[in-house]
Amino acid sequence: MAAITKDQVKHVANLARLAITEEEAEHYTEKLASIIEFAEQLNEVDTSGVAPTTHPVPLVNVLRKDEPAKGLDRDLMLKNVPEHEDGMVKVPSILG
């Protein structure tokens, strides 16, 4: 991959709606160039015996089973609401 230029940094900054100065563009050009250089080192690693993966740790279904469970006690819950009527929480009307 070719080195990144100051014009490319300015272009990306413009796309991101970032106003950067000439000094900042120069600074970020150097920083991004070192990041790209570091990432290019990965091309030197022999991965011929490594199977492609989408996640580093094998995952199975990590969600709990969706089983019905006893809910909150209605009387206990209604003690914490400011207004209730006929076992329901009463809220202000939002429709005219």
Side-chain angles (χ1 to χ4, degrees):
M1 176 176 243
I4 191 164
T5 66
K6 188 164 52 168
D7 288 336
Q8 289 172 322
V9 170
K10 287 180 180 179
H11 177 70
V12 171
N14 184 47
L15 291 175
R17 305 286 191 252
L18 298 173
I20 61 173
T21 64
E22 285 294 321
E23 294 80 23
E24 289 172 325
E26 186 66 39
H27 173 75
Y28 291 125
T29 301
E30 292 171 12
K31 291 292 185 186
L32 288 171
S34 67
I35 292 170
I36 291 170
E37 182 182 325
F38 180 75
E40 285 179 343
Q41 291 177 11
L42 295 176
N43 290 332
E44 299 172 11
V45 177
D46 179 21
T47 59
S48 59
V50 179
T53 60
T54 57
H55 198 277
V57 179
L59 293 177
V60 187
N61 189 0
V62 295
L63 303 174
R64 65 173 171 79
K65 287 189 175 187
D66 190 13
E67 297 174 344
K70 185 168 172 32
L72 295 173
D73 178 60
R74 183 181 301 227
D75 294 329
L76 182 63
M77 188 270 307
L78 288 175
K79 288 181 182 180
N80 293 316
V81 299
E83 261 189 275
H84 59 87
E85 185 177 302
D86 298 326
M88 305 283 185
V89 177
K90 193 170 181 182
V91 297
S93 175
I94 59 168
L95 302 174

